[in-house]
């Protein structure tokens, strides 16, 4: 395994993006989707990107990058200019301050990579080829996206609403396990996938009432 798969909580955290081009715009959007506030430094920035960065509660500095732009208040740094040497200088400065950095022009100089993502809230599925073949990773993401119905996210949200209730009702881990296995593989799941969320919830409540602590089946 070339990289350790992690999910980084960026919600409410501030990040620095150096570079306002096409790749920088994609990186900014990905981080903002995760709730980050983006500070952007670049001499030239697309007006649409300016609007998105401002909407994230970030700041736009339309000028060349300076070492002083990187400080320890940032959760992470992304070097996304079309100048590989400038990107490396940004990376060295971030690394000197102990900040994780992504360099779009040099994966070997990066502490982390951006992955392809399939979102079925609250599920997030990430796909990476470890820079071996970004195109193949994209094709795999598209295939996975087509295979996984939206119902999985709705089923997870239903489970999330009752998880605490089930834990309180059944002290036995084994009983809880079998209760959820029935829900996730039986009629409850079928109703969710059919779009009948209310019926699924009613079935879940009924099963919760009928299941006994002494019955792990």
């Amino acid at each position: 395994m070339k990289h350790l798969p992690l999910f980084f909580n960026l919600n409410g955290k501030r990040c620095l993006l150096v570079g306002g081009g096409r790749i920088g715009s994609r990186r900014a959007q990905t981080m903002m989707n995760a709730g980050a506030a983006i500070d952007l430094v670049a001499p030239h920035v697309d007006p649409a990107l300016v609007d998105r960065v401002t909407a994230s509660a970030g700041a736009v500095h339309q000028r060349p990058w300076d070492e002083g732009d990187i400080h320890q208040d940032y959760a992470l740094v992304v070097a996304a200019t079309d100048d590989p040497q400038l990107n490396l200088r940004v990376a060295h400065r971030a690394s000197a301050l102990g900040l994780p950095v992504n360099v779009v022009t040099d994966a070997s100089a990066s502490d982390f990579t951006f992955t392809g993502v399939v979102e079925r809230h609250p599920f997030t599925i990430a796909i990476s080829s470890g820079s071996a073949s970004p195109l193949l990773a994209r094709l795999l993401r598209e295939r996975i996206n087509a295979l996984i119905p939206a119902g999985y996210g709705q089923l997870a949200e239903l489970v999330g609403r009752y998880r605490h209730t089930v834990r309180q009702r059944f002290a036995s881990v084994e009983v809880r396990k079998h209760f959820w296995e029935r829900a996730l593989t039986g009629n409850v799941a079928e109703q969710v996938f059919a779009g009948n969320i209310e019926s699924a919830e009613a079935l879940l409540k009924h099963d919760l009432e009928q299941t006994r602590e002494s019955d792990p089946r």
Side-chain angles (χ1 to χ4, degrees), residues 178-192:
H178 285 282
F179 175 85
W180 286 124
E181 283 178 347
R182 287 197 306 274
L184 298 176
T185 60
N187 291 335
V188 172
E190 289 176 1
Q191 288 299 310
V192 170

Side-chain angles (χ1 to χ4, degrees), residues 4-5 43-44 91 103-104 119 129-130 132 146 150 168 184 190 209:
L4 177 65
H44 308 287
V103 181
V104 301
E119 189 78 21
S129 68
Q168 282 189 319
L184 298 176
E190 289 176 1
E209 293 171 357

